[in-house]
Amino acid sequence: TAEKYLEVLQKQRVEFEGLLARKLREQEDVLSRHANAAVQAKDESIQSVVNAAAEAQNAEHEAEIKSTTERIEREAKAKFEAELATALAEEKAKFASDMETRVAAMEQMAERLKSMEQALEVSRSFESGSIAAHKVSAAGLAFTAKAESSKSAVEELASLKAAAGEESVIGSALAKVPSSIKSGVPTLAELQAKFEKAYSTGRQAALVPEGRTGVGGQLFGMVFAKMTIPPSPESISEGEGAEDKSPEYVLARARRYTQLGDLESAVGELDKLEGEAGFVMRDWKQSAMDRISLDKATQVIKM
């Protein structure tokens, strides 16, 4: 009986140990699942934290990288702009300096060119003036040579006018040359010779009695001229004779001035004549006035 009891106890012990082992295994399995679940949850939590930290760190890194990149870009841009501005300023200064040098050189060249042009113009003017002066001189000599004679000087006058020009002093003098230059103006000697004939005729006209006209009057004048003595040089230059306005004294003074070569004074006396005596002396007086004008013109040309 004890053996059976022991056997039962042994059997119960084995069954208990088997049941305990099964319970332990079940408990171990439960604990293992719980532990695995807790570990997995913990792992998931840790992974979530790690992921969040990584994402935050990545975002922070990206922001820092972006900020650094932008800062570097700004600094590089500012540096580039500063270097570009400096380079541009240097180039502008160099260009301005080069331009100033070139402008100065061009101004010097312009001044030299201007000086050369002025020198050339002076040379041309001198040469032209020398040629023109030679032409004027030659034409003036030819004209005065003819003007001092009683020959026609139309061609010489035209040549001198062309050489001297109308606006010159000589041109102004030539404008006063009488038109009788075409046929020739009597010389002083010729006028002195012609005056003697004109004087005789003029004296006869001056001695025609008042109221007498025609051939009869002229005959009276011729007779009176032959019968009377003309005023002497002394009587017309002194006392009342010097102021006497009678035709005979006027003619006598004009004759004396003509003999002395003073044509202007002679013409001045003849201007006092009136009537037949003035008419008779008109042609000689005009010739004398033409000679006076022509002589004045030639004097200007010779200056």
Side-chain angles (χ1 to χ4, degrees), residues 109-129:
M109 291 179 64
E111 288 296 327
R112 291 178 61 187
L113 180 61
K114 185 178 180 181
S115 298
M116 293 175 66
E117 288 178 347
Q118 290 176 348
L120 181 60
E121 185 65 25
V122 170
S123 177
R124 287 177 177 173
S125 299
F126 177 78
E127 183 179 355
S128 176

Side-chain angles (χ1 to χ4, degrees), residues 223-236:
V223 171
F224 287 142
K226 290 181 178 180
M227 291 177 62
T228 58
I229 299 172
S232 65
E234 292 78 12
S235 65
I236 62 175

Side-chain angles (χ1 to χ4, degrees), residues 76-151:
K77 184 178 180 181
K79 182 179 180 181
F80 174 76
E81 289 178 349
E83 291 177 351
L84 179 61
T86 302
L88 286 175
E90 291 176 353
E91 288 297 323
K92 286 182 179 179
K94 183 179 178 181
F95 179 76
S97 178
D98 291 342
M99 285 299 295
E100 288 178 358
T101 303
R102 292 182 181 182
V103 169
M106 291 179 67
E107 288 178 349
Q108 290 180 354
M109 291 179 64
E111 288 296 327
R112 291 178 61 187
L113 180 61
K114 185 178 180 181
S115 298
M116 293 175 66
E117 288 178 347
Q118 290 176 348
L120 181 60
E121 185 65 25
V122 170
S123 177
R124 287 177 177 173
S125 299
F126 177 78
E127 183 179 355
S128 176
S130 178
I131 294 173
H134 178 72
K135 290 182 178 179
V136 171
S137 178
L141 288 173
F143 175 74
T144 54
K146 279 290 186 72
E148 289 174 351
S149 69
S150 57
K151 297 179 181 179

Side-chain angles (χ1 to χ4, degrees), residues 24-175:
L24 287 173
R25 284 195 301 272
E26 289 177 356
Q27 187 66 30
E28 183 180 1
D29 184 58
V30 172
L31 290 174
S32 177
R33 284 199 301 273
H34 284 196
N36 288 335
V39 169
Q40 185 176 0
K42 186 66 174 177
D43 288 341
E44 290 178 354
S45 176
I46 292 172
Q47 187 64 40
S48 178
V49 172
V50 169
N51 290 338
E55 289 178 359
Q57 188 175 10
N58 287 336
E60 184 178 352
H61 286 169
E62 289 178 359
E64 185 177 357
I65 291 171
K66 183 178 180 181
S67 176
T68 303
T69 303
E70 291 178 351
R71 178 178 59 78
I72 293 172
E73 287 179 352
R74 287 195 303 271
E75 291 176 354
K77 184 178 180 181
K79 182 179 180 181
F80 174 76
E81 289 178 349
E83 291 177 351
L84 179 61
T86 302
L88 286 175
E90 291 176 353
E91 288 297 323
K92 286 182 179 179
K94 183 179 178 181
F95 179 76
S97 178
D98 291 342
M99 285 299 295
E100 288 178 358
T101 303
R102 292 182 181 182
V103 169
M106 291 179 67
E107 288 178 349
Q108 290 180 354
M109 291 179 64
E111 288 296 327
R112 291 178 61 187
L113 180 61
K114 185 178 180 181
S115 298
M116 293 175 66
E117 288 178 347
Q118 290 176 348
L120 181 60
E121 185 65 25
V122 170
S123 177
R124 287 177 177 173
S125 299
F126 177 78
E127 183 179 355
S128 176
S130 178
I131 294 173
H134 178 72
K135 290 182 178 179
V136 171
S137 178
L141 288 173
F143 175 74
T144 54
K146 279 290 186 72
E148 289 174 351
S149 69
S150 57
K151 297 179 181 179
S152 173
V154 176
E155 294 182 2
E156 290 77 8
L157 177 63
S159 298
L160 184 55
K161 282 184 176 180
E166 295 181 358
E167 301 299 326
S168 64
V169 175
I170 293 177
S172 300
L174 293 178

